[in-house]
Each structure stands twice: as C-alpha cells, then as structure tokens.
C-alpha cells in the first residue's frame, strides 16, 4: 500500500503529461501573439516593450471600430431574435404534440452539424436567387439561423430538468396559458435562456465563414476585417486586438458565470 | 356537506394500443375520502388526470354535480391537484407559492395575506414561510403543495400519490394530517395510491383497479374481508390462495356453508360465504395468513367446521411485532401456507416455534372465503 | 360565447403557436436554401453564374475530373489524419481530466483558447510558422539557422492548425464519457490479471465507444468542411473541398458544381451524424449487466490465451 502511494507520487502518469503538454500547445500560440503585441517594432524581432500597437488599435483604426460596431449590431439583433424564436419553439416541442413537430425537431439540429461552408453557400445562393441585396440584413438572417439551434438546444436541456407538473399545477390553480408562460415557465428556464443568448452573442461575434458569404459592401464585421488584415498585409495591430478580444471574452464569461451562479442560488 | 358529487361514466382512454382505462364507471360522493388503489400502470393516475383536466377520455363522460366538465380546461374546473412530485414553483417562496392562485385572481392585498397565512398555518409551515422550495424537506414541500391546492377552496382535491416520495414514518404522519385536513375542509378528496395500507387507513371508500378496469368498489373493510376477485385478494394484504371446486353449498344462518375440494390441500375444506355458489363451480379458496393459527400440537377443538393440517416450518421470518412462517404441509402437493403470528406478552406467547419444527395450522370455516372471479 | 376547444385541438394549437415561428424561420433560411442547392446540382450552369433550367448530371460528372478528384482525396486524408491526431491526443487528455481533482479549472483551460476568434488563432500560427515568424527568428538568433525556413503553406501546417482548432471538440466529449466511466472496472480487470494497458483497451474503450464516436464526428465534420485553415496556412496543393466550393461560386461561377460538392459534404456529414446517434443509442440500450458480462468474458478469454501460450 505504502509502496503503491510512493509509486504514484514519484512519476507523473503518461496521460497527465499529455494533458499538460496539450494545454501548453493550446496556449503557446496565443501567448506569443499577446507577447508581441507589446513589442515596439514590427515583426518577430523583439526590440522593447511598448503600447504602440494598442495606441494604434484604439486611435488609428477607424475602419476596425466601424466593423466592430457592425459586429455588435448583428450579434445583438440576431441573438435576441434567435433567443426569442428558439425558446418558444423549445417549449412547444417539449410539451405539445402537433403536426410538423418532427420536421421542426430534425431541422433545428441540422444547421449545427453541417459544415459552415454549406450554410454560407446555400444562403448566398438563396439570397441571390430571391434577389435580396447582400448586407446587414442578410448577415442578420444568417446569424440568426446558425444561432437558433444552440438556443433551442440549451433551452431544451433546461426544460428536460423542468418538472412538467409545475406547468400543470399552474393551470390547475387557475392560470391560463399566457399566465403560465409568464409566471412559471419563463422564470424557471431563464438561466438556460440567458446562457443560450450569451452563446449566441459569442458565436455571432466570432463567425467568419458564414458571414464571409452573405456580407455585402459596407457591412463588414470584425472577423471579416481581421481576415482582410491577415490576407492583405499583416499589421501587429492584430496582436493588440487579440489580447483585447481574449480579455473581452474572459470578462464576459466570468461575469456571466457569476451571474448564472447567483440566479441558480436564488432559485 | 361541501364538495361535489363526481360521476365518471364509461370512460375509456387508450395510448396507442395500450388501454389505460377500459370502460370505467364510478360515482364519488360529496365530501368523501375516496381512494383509487392499484399497481402502477393500472390507470388510476390517468383517471385522476382526466378528472383534473390534464388528460381527456377517448369516450365517456365526467360530471361534477351533473354538469359535464370535460370541455373545461384545468383552470376552469372546481378541482385542484396535489402532485406526486410536489410541482412547487422553484422560483417562488413558500408564501408566494401558496399565494399564486390568489394573485392570479387579483385578490385584494390584505385578504390575500390573511388567507395565505391561514392556509400555511393549516399545514403547520409558519416557520418556513419565506423559504424557497429547494430549502425544504420532502414532507414540507408536500405540505406547501397541499396548502396551495386548498387555498382556492376547490370542491374536489385530487391527490396523485402525494406521499410516495417520502419515507415510511413521515408518510404515516402526513397521512393522519391529510385525514385531519379532510375533516376540517370537508370537500371531496380523491386519493391515488399504490400503497394498500395508506388506502385502507384513511379512505371512506376504495376503488381497486388493475389493467384499466375497476375490479371492486367498497369500504376498506369490504375490500379486505370480501375481495371480489383473486387480484384484489392478492393485492390487498397477503393471502393463501388455492384453486378449488365447489362440492356442496347449504344455507348456514344468513350465510352459506360450502364444502369445496382443494386439491393442493389434499381434500375437502369447509368455508362460509355471503352468496351461494353453484355446485361444481371452479373458484378460489382463500385464507388470510393472520387468520391461520399455528400450534406445535394438534388443535384441541370441538368446532365442527375446523380445518387443520400438519406441516413443517420451511422458513420463519421474524419482524419484531410478529413472525411470518412459511409452512410446508405434509401432503402430496406439499403446498406452502403463509401464517402470521403476533408476538404478545411473554406469558401468552406459548412455546417457541423454530425452523424445521413440525407444527399444525388450522382455521375455521368463517375465516376462509371464496373468490368467485378468479381473473384466470 | 367563446368556443371551447377540445384538449387535443388545444395541444395542436399551442404547439403550433410556440414552435412555428422557428419552423418558418428554418424553412425559409435553411430548408429552402438547402433545397435550392440540391436542385442546382442537377441543373446546367449559366454563362455568367446562376443556372439554366435544364436537367443534367454534368456537375456530378465534373467531380470525377482528375483535378477535383485529387482535391477530394486530399480532403479525405487530411481530415482523417487531423481527426485521428486530435483523438489520439484527446484520449489521454480526457482520461487525465476525468481522474483529476481540478476538473473545472482544466475544463476552463481547454475552453479558453477555444473562445478566441478562430481567425486570430490561425493568425497566431501564421506568426509562429512563417519565414519571418517566431520559430525561425528564434532559431536564427540561437544560431541554429542562418536563414528562415518555410514552415507554413504546406499540408503539414494545415493538419497541425486543424488539430489545434478542433482539439477541444475531441477532448470535451471524451472527457464527459470517461468521467462517467466506472474506474472500479479497471481495478477489477487488473485484479483479474490484465496489465494496465490491456485493462484500458479491453475494458475502458468498449465502454466509452459513444464518446469516441462523438469525438470523431465533432472533429471530422468541421475539418472535412474546413475552408479558412487551408486557405490561410495551406499552400497551392492544400486546397480542400470547402475551397473548391467557394472558388466555384465566387471565381469560376459554376454554381451547379459548387452545389454538387456541397451535396457531397452534406451527405457525408449527415451519414456521420446518424452513425454517431446510432452508436449513442445502442450504448444506452446496453444494460450494465451486459457490460459486466462482456468484461468477464474478455478477461476469461484473455486468461485462457495466457495459459495456452505458456
């Protein structure tokens, strides 16, 4: 027994060594980029630390910021729409049997499993077939489409934990359908709805492939801008942007986690 | 008497090919504590849900005081339900859970507060009034559910296995409380359970169900002492059941004295019954284990209608206040008879009976009974 | 008087009210676009993009053109290598995470890079691998190299970056299933005479099949449909099906061919998904008893072999 414990302490197992290497592998590229965002000169030759690229990012990149504004507009509008439609559908699918239920269930998972290129191309061809001009609206429609399955999935998962008797209890105690929805269902599933919404925001801010196909002139989002920077002349401003974006996502994620915890604790 | 009379007429409900309810009719009286008793899948919950409005029959009618209620949604019915899983609203406190129905009706503030507190007092939860359901124990949750279901002053309270998720001791206490509440509010209670002891102890009447049908409706005494079918005899309490054939049937006071041939007991047995039986009819002979006496020596009795057999203790099961013996009888069929022996004061106890002892089991004709519907 | 609905009609009405907005949205922006692709793949290409309404199998015939066939084969092998690479790395990682006390922190560490924008992650690799990149600069400074070596714009770089991008997709499902696995079974196997590796391969792997297939599909499908990675870190000979589709739409303007390739991608993805669902379901149906039995059987067989070889 004692010998066994000794053995365990004396060597790190193969699997945990792999795990630590993998974590290093995942972080090193980001770390390099962040490190060089504080480099004074261009390129990978370290000269000395400075905030030059951050100044450039904040004060001298108006088109980046307007792309970011587009990204935000798209993220919020599409996430709100997707959250609204997806939540209602999840409730309907979970609790009612009706014609078309199977169709909606199947179709709601597909956009999640098909490669992004397919979604992008099919929407591009669709929009040009029905002669809709590419622009903010088409991006909004595309983002709502790929966000919807995630809201639907997360709210459905939350509903699975939900005891349907509470809905019956509400009806039994005199609530009509809309009162039941407002006073019982929504308050109970709100954590699922919010995490779905947040997931939509992050995915929408991050999407490049689908947006690439359905964007038109003047409707470029931040990932599209980053793409053009990578493609046509890399500027270390990206390095600075990387760090800002990592910090941004971390802040959102942590505040949201805390928020979710308080919601969970209070219910 | 408050409450309503509920008439269920020829109600059937099928899920695909599975018949949950098969032509069920029952009338539940005003203010009655009525139990629907049966194993899981017997249709008792389906019947309750149809009365509550969560499910709907394929055919048949349900009436409250002569008025058809089937077209009404649950919120328009005079019934309220206590759910097996409590179904408390997790985001609301005890107070707000109980106040929920009143808030929906926009009851004026002071009236609401007075009533909510009154009903919380009724279920003795004053100390937990501001807690969320997640902080309550199972028994407390179920009390909240009961208060919440009663606050609307329904005419019928429907209870769907309300105690099944609780432990045995708590179940007993809550059951007594339920009975007290029933006496206080005086409305009709319909109580669904698979636990026969719960049903026997509090109900005014019981309907025993199996496979979508009601097998017997009666008082707890009738159900236990005169089960209508073999299933009822086996489901309620424990029974020794043997197939038999009626040999003779003669009037015996108000009842009838039957002589039946029980092959597995090795011959003729005498037994009384309320109704006459046809000679030659294939029926079941039954005797409850607690009515069988077990003695080390042949029973000294002059009783004419005494049935007595010799056997060996196959397995004694001691459970404190009583022991259960499996006795293998000394005949060709070697049947097993279950016997309960109550442990009483030391002096009355008699000689100890142990494993492999040779013993005698006996019962009088009045202790056995005949089950005509053998469900075979 | 308000009409009283029967419960079944109510259910139909309510379900419809709740679910149909999403149903209509998906029909409009998913089902119809996808149907258009199916339709276009059977039509004749228009002169300046678009299609002519004439049925033909030309698009599918063109796919067998050697230059395209090469791309399809390359896509297949790159995807398989990258997927298997990810899973091989992911298995020990998932195992270590499942055994670890610090699961939440480790999960976070795996997910954080994943939250970073995918383009930025690709960019990070470009700045590391390129001729003037981090590695080359470092090696030159250390005097190992005199001038930069091209580490990027080849298939190796594509595989590496694909693994980097989709590794979390493999780790997470494997971690979840391994976490649910009853490690006492491994001890039981060891007790009955299996070595550690044998115990893992013969007892653990059969029990985490659903996790393996989920991990496979979760990584394979997006890698198979990859577009950005081969475009940005691949060379001339790194194009994958995703790139062909985009080129056919935006440059060559051969919409039917793009549609036909999209059909191939879609079908392969769907087959993969259904295979995964089927595996998951079958594993669910397996009761604990059969797991126990197969364990015993495996070990008994193993013992017999050992005895025979002696």
């Amino acid at each position: 027994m004692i010998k066994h414990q000794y053995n365990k302490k004396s060597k790190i197992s193969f699997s945990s060594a792999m795990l630590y290497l993998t974590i290093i592998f995942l972080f090193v590229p980001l770390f390099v980029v962040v490190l060089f965002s504080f480099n004074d000169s261009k390129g990978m030759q370290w000269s000395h630390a400075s905030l030059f690229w951050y100044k450039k990012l904040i004060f001298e990149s108006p088109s980046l910021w307007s792309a970011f504004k587009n990204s935000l507009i798209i993220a919020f509008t599409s996430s709100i729409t997707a959250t609204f439609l997806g939540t209602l559908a999840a409730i309907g699918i979970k609790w009612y049997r009706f014609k078309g239920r199977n169709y909606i269930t199947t179709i709601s998972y597909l956009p999640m499993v098909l490669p992004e290129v397919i979604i992008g191309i099919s929407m591009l061809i669709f929009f040009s077939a029905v002669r809709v001009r590419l622009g903010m609206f088409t991006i909004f429609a595309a983002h709502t489409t790929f966000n919807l399955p995630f809201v639907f999935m997360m709210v459905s998962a939350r509903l699975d934990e939900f005891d349907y008797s509470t809905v019956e209890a509400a009806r039994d105690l005199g609530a009509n359908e809309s009162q039941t929805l407002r006073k019982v269902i929504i308050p109970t599933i709100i954590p699922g709805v919010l995490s779905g919404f947040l997931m939509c925001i992050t995915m929408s801010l991050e999407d490049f492939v689908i947006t690439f196909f359905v964007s038109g002139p003047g409707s470029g989002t931040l990932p599209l801008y980053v793409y053009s920077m990578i493609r046509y002349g890399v500027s270390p401003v990206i390095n600075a942007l990387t760090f800002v974006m990592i910090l941004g996502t971390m802040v959102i994620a942590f505040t949201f986690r805390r928020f979710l915890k308080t919601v969970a604790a209070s219910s | 008497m408050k409450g309503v009379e509920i008439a269920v007429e020829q109600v059937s409900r099928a899920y695909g090919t599975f018949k949950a309810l098969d032509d069920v009719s029952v009338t539940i009286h005003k203010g009655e504590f009525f139990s629907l008793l049966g194993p899981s899948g017997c249709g008792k919950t389906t019947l309750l849900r149809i009365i509550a409005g969560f499910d709907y029959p394929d055919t048949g009618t349900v009436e409250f005081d002569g008025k058809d209620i089937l077209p009404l949604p649950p919120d328009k019915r005079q019934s309220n339900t206590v759910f097996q899983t409590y179904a408390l609203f997790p985001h609301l406190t005890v107070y707000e859970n109980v106040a929920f129905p009143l808030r929906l009706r926009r009851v004026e503030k002071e009236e609401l507060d007075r009533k909510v507190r009154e009903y919380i007092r009724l279920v003795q939860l004053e100390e937990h009034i501001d807690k969320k359901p997640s902080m309550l124990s199972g028994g407390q949750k179920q009390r909240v559910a009961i208060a919440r279901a009663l606050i609307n002053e329904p005419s019928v309270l429907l209870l769907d296995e309300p105690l099944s998720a609780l432990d045995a001791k708590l179940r007993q206490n809550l059951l007594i409380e339920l009975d007290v509440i029933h006496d206080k509010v005086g409305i009709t209670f319909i109580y669904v359970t698979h636990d026969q002891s719960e049903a026997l102890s509090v109900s005014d009447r019981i309907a025993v169900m199996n496979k979508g049908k009601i097998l017997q409706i009666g008082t707890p005494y009738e159900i236990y002492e005169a089960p209508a079918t073999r299933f009822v005899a086996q489901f309620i309490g424990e029974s020794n059941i043997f197939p038999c054939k009626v040999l003779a049937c003669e009037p015996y006071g108000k009842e009838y004295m039957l002589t039946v041939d029980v092959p597995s007991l090795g011959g003729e047995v005498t037994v009384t019954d309320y109704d006459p039986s046809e000679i030659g009819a294939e029926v079941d002979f039954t005797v409850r284990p607690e009515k069988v006496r077990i003695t080390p020596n042949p029973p000294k009795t002059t009783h004419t209608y005494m049935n007595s057999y010799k056997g060996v203790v196959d397995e004694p099961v001691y459970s404190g206040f009583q022991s259960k013996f499996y006795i293998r009888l000394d005949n060709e069929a070697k049947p097993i008879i279950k016997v309960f022996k109550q442990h009483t004061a030391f002096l009355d106890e008699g000689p100890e009976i142990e494993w492999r002892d040779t013993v005698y089991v006996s019962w009088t004709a009045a202790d056995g009974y005949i089950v005509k519907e053998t469900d075979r | 008087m308000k009409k009283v609905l029967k419960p079944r009609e109510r259910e139909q009405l309510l379900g419809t009210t709740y679910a149909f907005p999403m149903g209509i949205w998906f029909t409009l922006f998913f089902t119809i676009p996808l149907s258009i692709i199916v339709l276009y793949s059977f039509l004749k290409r228009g002169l300046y993009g678009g299609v002519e309404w004439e049925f033909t199998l030309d698009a599918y015939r063109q796919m067998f053109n050697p230059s395209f066939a090469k791309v399809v084969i390359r896509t297949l092998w790159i995807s398989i290598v990258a997927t298997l690479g990810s899973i091989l790395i992911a298995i020990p990682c998932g195992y270590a995470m499942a055994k670890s006390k610090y699961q939440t922190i480790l999960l976070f560490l795996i997910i954080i890079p994943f939250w970073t924008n995918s383009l930025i992650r690709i960019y990070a690799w470009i700045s590391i691998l390129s001729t003037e990149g981090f590695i080359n600069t470092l090696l030159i400074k250390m005097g190992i190299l005199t001038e930069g070596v091209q580490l990027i714009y080849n298939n190796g770089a594509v595989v590496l970056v694909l693994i980097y991008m989709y590794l979390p997709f493999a780790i997470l499902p494997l971690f979840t299933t391994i976490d649910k696995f009853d490690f006492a079974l491994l001890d039981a196997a060891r007790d009955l005479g299996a070595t550690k590796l044998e115990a893992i391969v013969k007892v653990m792997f059969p029990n985490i099949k659903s996790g393996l297939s989920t991990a496979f599909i979760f990584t394979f499908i997006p890698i198979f449909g990859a577009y950005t990675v081969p475009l940005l870190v691949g060379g001339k000979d790194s194009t994958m099906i995703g790139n062909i589709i985009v080129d056919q739409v935006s440059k060559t303007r051969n919409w039917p061919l793009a549609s036909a390739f999209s059909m191939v991608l879609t079908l392969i993805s769907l087959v993969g998904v259904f295979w995964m669902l089927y595996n998951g379901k079958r594993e669910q149906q397996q009761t604990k008893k059969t797991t126990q039995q197969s364990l015993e059987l495996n070990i008994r067989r193993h013992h017999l072999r050992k005895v025979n070889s002696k």
Side-chain angles (χ1 to χ4, degrees):
Chain A
M1 197 64 216
I2 293 166
K3 196 182 170 193
H4 184 68
Q5 275 179 350
Y6 174 72
N7 255 344
K8 251 190 182 166
K9 272 185 186 168
S10 67
K11 62 172 188 193
I12 297 172
S13 70
F14 165 74
S15 59
S16 37
M18 274 300 279
L19 177 61
Y20 296 129
L21 285 177
T22 303
I23 289 174
I24 293 169
F25 170 65
L26 287 176
F27 274 89
V28 159
L30 297 178
F31 181 74
V32 168
V33 170
V34 171
L35 180 73
F36 280 91
S37 72
F38 295 102
N39 188 6
D40 190 49
S41 73
K42 212 169 168 167
M44 287 309 202
Q45 284 281 2
W46 184 263
S47 51
H48 57 87
S50 88
L51 290 176
F52 177 75
W53 300 110
Y54 288 89
K55 270 182 218 146
K56 209 156 175 177
L57 168 71
I58 294 166
F59 301 111
E60 292 165 40
S61 311
S63 44
L64 185 150
W65 289 108
S66 85
F68 183 57
K69 198 183 92 191
N70 284 345
S71 269
L72 282 183
I73 293 172
I74 298 288
F76 275 94
T77 50
S78 73
S79 301
I80 288 169
T81 317
T83 308
F84 181 71
L85 297 179
T87 304
L88 282 186
I91 294 171
I93 299 264
K94 169 81 185 162
W95 287 329
Y96 303 105
R97 304 281 169 279
F98 54 92
K99 282 182 201 123
R101 185 171 177 272
N102 280 340
Y103 164 72
I104 296 178
T105 324
T106 317
I107 215 75
S108 64
Y109 285 104
L110 281 182
M112 202 159 49
V113 295
L114 289 188
E116 288 178 300
V117 173
I118 303 290
I119 313 271
I121 286 284
S122 64
M123 289 202 117
L124 170 64
I125 289 181
F126 167 71
F127 287 131
S128 59
V130 296
R131 293 174 206 290
V132 173
R133 259 189 58 208
L134 298 181
M136 291 293 268
F137 172 75
T138 50
I139 303 182
F140 157 76
H143 280 223
T144 308
T145 308
F146 73 68
N147 277 335
L148 254 175
F150 289 92
V151 179
F152 179 76
M153 192 182 68
M154 298 193 89
V155 176
S156 295
R158 179 81 193 173
L159 282 170
D160 283 341
E161 294 168 22
F162 189 101
D163 181 4
Y164 186 60
S165 332
T166 50
V167 174
E168 290 186 335
R171 299 281 284 130
D172 186 61
L173 295 166
N176 62 30
E177 198 62 42
S178 85
Q179 284 170 320
T180 310
L181 183 66
R182 276 181 291 122
K183 300 198 168 174
V184 177
I185 302 177
I186 299 284
T188 338
I189 60 172
I190 202 75
V193 175
L194 286 177
S195 36
F197 175 76
L198 204 92
M199 194 153 174
C200 289
I201 295 273
T202 30
M203 285 196 311
S204 183
L205 286 178
E206 122 104 39
D207 179 75
F208 163 68
V209 177
I210 297 173
T211 319
F212 178 71
F213 291 109
V214 294
S215 65
S219 61
T221 59
L222 188 58
L224 286 183
Y225 186 80
V226 172
Y227 172 74
S228 63
M229 277 168 93
I230 297 172
R231 207 77 222 267
Y232 314 104
V234 172
S235 146
V237 169
I238 297 192
N239 296 349
L241 181 66
T242 304
F243 192 43
V244 172
M245 282 174 81
I246 292 177
L247 281 185
T249 18
M250 298 259 284
V251 168
I252 294 178
F254 278 110
T255 34
F256 188 68
R257 251 174 78 90
R258 179 160 300 171
F259 168 73
L260 262 195
K261 264 188 190 161
T262 46
V263 168
S266 69
S267 72
Chain B
M1 186 62 80
K2 287 185 244 172
V4 288
E5 180 169 287
I6 299 159
V8 175
E9 294 273 349
Q10 296 178 316
V11 162
S12 293
R13 174 78 169 105
Y15 301 104
T17 55
F18 174 69
K19 280 186 184 169
L21 289 176
D22 190 3
D23 198 21
V24 165
S25 298
V26 57
T27 303
I28 296 158
H29 306 313
K30 270 185 191 183
E32 196 171 29
F33 197 125
F34 191 89
S35 292
L36 295 170
L37 173 64
S40 58
C42 72
K44 55 190 192 303
T45 299
T46 308
L47 182 56
L48 191 85
R49 290 172 61 81
I50 286 175
I51 296 171
F54 306 131
D55 207 332
Y56 32 96
D58 299 325
T59 55
T61 59
V62 179
E63 293 177 347
F64 282 12
D65 280 344
K67 264 177 283 170
D68 182 16
I69 54 142
L70 284 179
L72 299 177
D75 49 323
K76 300 277 186 291
R77 297 193 186 188
Q78 294 156 275
S79 59
N80 279 129
T81 308
V82 176
F83 294 84
Q84 183 176 9
T85 51
Y86 322 123
L88 298 183
F89 305 125
H91 59 293
L92 299 178
T93 60
V94 169
Y95 184 93
E96 284 302 324
N97 260 288
V98 178
F100 186 85
L102 301 185
R103 295 224 188 272
L104 289 174
R105 286 194 282 129
R106 300 185 200 291
V107 170
E108 181 230 343
K109 212 178 163 192
E110 278 153 39
E111 165 75 0
L112 178 138
D113 189 63
R114 189 187 60 72
K115 261 193 109 172
V116 171
R117 287 179 193 283
E118 179 194 327
Y119 277 87
I120 289 179
R121 208 176 311 122
L122 179 72
V123 294
Q124 303 166 15
L125 281 176
E126 295 97 321
E127 292 162 37
H128 308 284
I129 201 156
D130 289 322
K131 285 187 185 163
K132 284 270 174 75
S134 55
M135 297 165 72
L136 300 177
S137 70
Q140 290 165 341
K141 281 183 197 168
Q142 201 51 284
R143 287 205 183 98
V144 179
I146 292 167
R148 189 182 65 176
L150 285 173
I151 203 165
N152 254 352
E153 296 175 355
S155 308
V156 188
L157 187 70
L158 306 171
L159 301 116
D160 183 8
E161 308 224 14
L163 310 180
S164 65
L166 307 174
D167 65 67
K169 274 242 168 89
L170 200 60
R171 205 149 53 197
Q172 272 306 316
N173 294 339
L174 255 171
L175 199 61
I176 294 163
E177 254 179 68
L178 261 182
D179 203 15
V180 172
I181 291 171
H182 176 246
D183 291 344
K184 270 190 202 160
V185 295
I187 58 169
T188 313
F189 274 36
I190 303 182
Y191 187 89
V192 162
T193 181
H194 63 268
D195 184 319
Q196 35 125 350
S197 68
E198 278 178 19
L200 291 175
S201 54
V202 288
S203 314
D204 293 322
R205 286 193 307 151
I206 298 173
V208 183
M209 297 183 70
N210 190 34
K211 294 183 181 161
K213 284 186 184 293
I214 292 184
L215 303 178
Q216 187 174 9
I217 301 175
T219 63
Y221 184 81
E222 286 165 357
I223 299 269
Y224 190 82
E225 294 295 337
T229 77
R230 185 192 178 101
F231 176 83
V232 177
Q234 274 176 325
F235 188 73
I236 315 281
E238 292 205 48
S239 283
N240 297 298
I241 301 186
F242 304 104
C244 67
K245 199 175 189 178
V246 181
L247 296 179
C249 176
E250 287 152 13
Y252 180 74
K254 278 180 187 169
E255 301 177 16
Y256 295 85
M257 177 62 70
L258 283 77
T259 309
V260 293
D261 174 40
V262 187
S264 44
L265 291 178
E268 290 181 10
V269 173
T270 48
V271 56
T272 58
D273 198 6
Y274 294 113
D275 315 301
S277 284
E278 250 175 72
I279 309 252
E282 306 261 345
V283 291
D284 279 338
F285 167 75
T286 307
V287 61
R288 297 272 186 201
E290 73 273 13
K291 302 212 165 140
V292 179
R293 287 184 51 194
I294 179 166
T295 45
N297 305 307
K300 284 170 265 164
T301 176
T302 50
H303 202 293
T304 336
Y305 297 113
M306 187 66 143
N307 303 290
S308 162
Y309 300 91
K310 192 178 162 195
V312 174
V313 178
D314 201 55
E315 180 80 58
V317 181
Y318 177 74
S319 60
F321 68 103
Q322 70 173 24
S323 286
K324 183 176 179 182
F325 295 99
Y326 291 85
I327 311 296
R328 189 172 294 280
L329 295 192
D330 191 14
N331 67 28
E332 271 171 39
K334 303 251 178 235
I336 295 255
I337 284 211
K338 288 177 279 183
V339 182
F340 288 145
K341 184 171 192 290
Q342 295 293 318
H343 294 302
T344 52
F346 180 72
L347 288 176
D348 306 333
E349 184 80 25
E352 208 171 313
I353 292 165
E354 287 175 344
W355 185 41
R356 287 184 174 167
D357 283 356
T358 299
V359 292
Y360 292 85
V361 291
S362 58
W363 62 87
T364 65
D367 288 326
Y369 53 90
I370 291 293
V371 176
K372 292 206 180 74
E373 269 187 60
T374 54
D375 301 337
R376 260 179 270 158
Chain C
M1 198 185 130
K2 210 174 138 192
K3 189 178 169 259
V4 182
L5 284 173
K6 276 200 186 137
R8 262 198 204 111
E9 294 169 3
R10 278 175 50 81
E11 202 171 306
Q12 172 81 35
L13 180 77
L14 283 170
T16 312
T17 324
Y18 278 129
F20 259 62
M22 186 176 93
I24 288 166
W25 184 280
F26 273 136
T27 308
L28 193 58
F29 293 113
F30 183 73
T31 315
I32 293 180
L34 211 62
S35 315
I36 291 180
I37 294 239
V38 178
L39 182 69
Y40 275 20
S41 72
F42 293 106
L43 293 179
K44 204 175 153 197
R45 73 177 283 197
L47 218 48
Y48 310 99
V51 286
E52 282 178 23
W53 288 92
E54 197 178 306
F55 175 84
T56 165
L57 289 173
D58 271 358
Y60 290 95
R61 236 170 266 140
Q62 281 170 33
M63 284 168 65
F64 293 97
N65 175 325
S67 63
F68 291 135
K70 233 165 79 184
V71 175
V72 174
I73 291 167
R74 181 188 305 129
T75 308
L76 266 177
W77 80 252
I78 287 186
S79 311
I80 290 171
V81 169
T83 307
L84 290 184
S86 306
I87 288 181
L88 283 182
I89 299 173
I91 290 171
C93 288
Y95 180 83
M97 280 167 76
K99 285 223 126 178
S100 169
K101 276 181 282 179
Y102 311 104
Q103 286 186 352
T104 346
I105 300 171
L106 289 172
L107 265 177
F108 239 69
L109 288 176
I110 298 288
I111 295 171
I112 286 172
F114 189 58
W115 277 341
T116 319
N117 189 297
S118 59
L119 283 170
I120 292 214
R121 281 181 291 157
I122 298 174
Y123 162 74
W125 279 105
I126 296 176
S127 59
I128 288 176
L129 297 176
S130 66
T131 328
E132 297 91 36
F134 180 69
I135 293 183
N136 276 313
T137 320
L138 204 69
L139 291 179
I140 291 170
K141 219 169 201 176
M142 285 157 70
I144 297 170
L145 290 178
T146 45
E147 66 181 74
V149 180
Q150 181 80 292
L151 297 170
I152 200 172
Y153 309 126
N154 55 46
N155 292 340
V158 173
V159 171
L160 174 75
V161 177
L162 281 174
I163 291 180
Y164 179 78
M165 300 290 283
Y166 296 104
L167 194 52
F169 277 125
I171 295 180
L172 294 179
L174 277 170
F175 160 67
T176 348
T177 31
I178 296 178
D179 197 35
K180 279 187 212 139
F181 173 73
D182 179 10
F183 282 99
L185 290 181
L186 284 187
D187 292 339
R190 295 294 301 277
D191 186 53
L192 294 166
T195 66
K196 194 173 179 186
L197 192 67
E198 281 173 330
I200 288 177
V201 172
K202 291 199 173 150
V203 177
M204 193 168 90
F205 280 11
N207 282 293
I208 57 164
K209 253 190 209 151
S210 74
L212 284 168
S213 63
T214 312
F216 185 83
I217 294 308
F218 272 25
T219 36
F220 184 80
I221 290 179
I223 290 179
F224 195 69
Y227 162 70
T228 354
V229 175
L231 182 73
L232 293 176
V233 302
K236 268 192 206 127
D237 289 325
S238 309
T239 25
M240 290 169 69
I241 295 183
N243 307 81
I244 294 191
I245 295 177
V246 179
D247 283 353
Q248 292 304 324
V249 168
S250 53
K251 288 184 193 146
T252 329
R253 300 214 151 255
N254 187 345
W255 287 19
L257 183 59
S259 303
F261 271 116
S262 302
M263 289 285 293
V264 172
L265 268 189
T266 309
L267 286 181
I268 290 184
S269 311
L270 288 184
V271 167
V273 169
F274 284 121
W275 176 69
M276 176 183 82
L277 291 178
Y278 167 76
N279 262 357
K281 233 180 213 160
R282 213 181 43 184
E283 185 152 302
Q284 267 177 7
Q285 280 164 355
Q286 254 185 3
T287 56
K288 230 180 185 172
K289 210 174 167 188
T290 61
T291 316
Q292 203 75 32
Q293 281 168 350
S294 67
L295 169 79
E296 278 166 19
L297 203 76
N298 264 334
I299 291 162
R300 209 171 298 144
R301 203 177 296 143
H302 169 80
H303 260 263
L304 279 177
R305 215 179 39 228
K306 255 193 178 166
V307 171
N308 288 341
S309 65
K310 265 177 195 170

